[in-house]
Amino acid sequence: MNNTLGGRIAELLAQLNMTQRELAEKVDVTEVSMSRYIKGDRVPKGPVIANIATALHTTTDYLLNGNSSESGDFESEYYMIHRLIAKNASKMTSKQRRELINALLESEE
C-alpha cells in the first residue's frame, strides 16, 4: 500500500502513532478530506501536500514519489532538517528538545 501517496501517508501515521484526525487538524483540512487523500479518492493540492509532509516529518518528494532522502546527499538533508527544526522549534516540548540534543551528542561517541 505504501507505493501510493495515501499509502505513504498511512505508513507514516502508523510510525508516528498519529491519527488521521490529528494530521487533519495539523494540516487544517477536514478529517473527511484526509481520509479521501489516504484512500486515494482525492489528491491534495500542493500547499496541502507540503503541510502534510511537514506534519509527518518527511518531504513532499517522498510523499509524491516515494523517493527516500536516504539516497540523497548530506548537504541537502542537513538543510532540510535545519529548516524543519528552525520552523518548529517553538512548538517542541522540553522532552523533544532534550531527545534531539541527546541524538546529536550520541552520534559523537
Side-chain angles (χ1 to χ4, degrees), residues 31-46:
E31 189 176 354
V32 171
S33 291
M34 187 59 63
S35 175
R36 289 179 178 155
Y37 300 152
I38 292 171
K39 289 179 184 175
D41 296 340
R42 194 166 159 193
V43 177
K45 294 185 179 188

Side-chain angles (χ1 to χ4, degrees), residues 20-59:
Q20 287 183 26
R21 174 179 284 166
E22 291 169 330
L23 179 59
E25 288 172 2
K26 288 180 181 223
V27 175
D28 198 28
V29 298
T30 66
E31 189 176 354
V32 171
S33 291
M34 187 59 63
S35 175
R36 289 179 178 155
Y37 300 152
I38 292 171
K39 289 179 184 175
D41 296 340
R42 194 166 159 193
V43 177
K45 294 185 179 188
V48 174
I49 292 172
N51 291 339
I52 291 170
T54 299
L56 295 176
H57 312 290
T58 191
T59 64

Side-chain angles (χ1 to χ4, degrees), residues 50-51 54 82-91:
N51 291 339
T54 299
H82 185 276
R83 188 178 73 244
L84 284 171
I85 291 171
K87 180 179 176 183
N88 295 295
S90 64
K91 301 173 194 169

Side-chain angles (χ1 to χ4, degrees), residues 50-93:
N51 291 339
I52 291 170
T54 299
L56 295 176
H57 312 290
T58 191
T59 64
T60 55
D61 191 35
Y62 174 74
L63 288 179
L64 293 170
N65 304 312
N67 296 336
S68 173
S69 64
E70 291 174 11
S71 62
D73 66 298
F74 171 77
E75 289 296 316
S76 63
E77 289 178 1
Y78 169 80
Y79 288 111
M80 180 189 70
I81 292 167
H82 185 276
R83 188 178 73 244
L84 284 171
I85 291 171
K87 180 179 176 183
N88 295 295
S90 64
K91 301 173 194 169
M92 294 173 70
T93 65

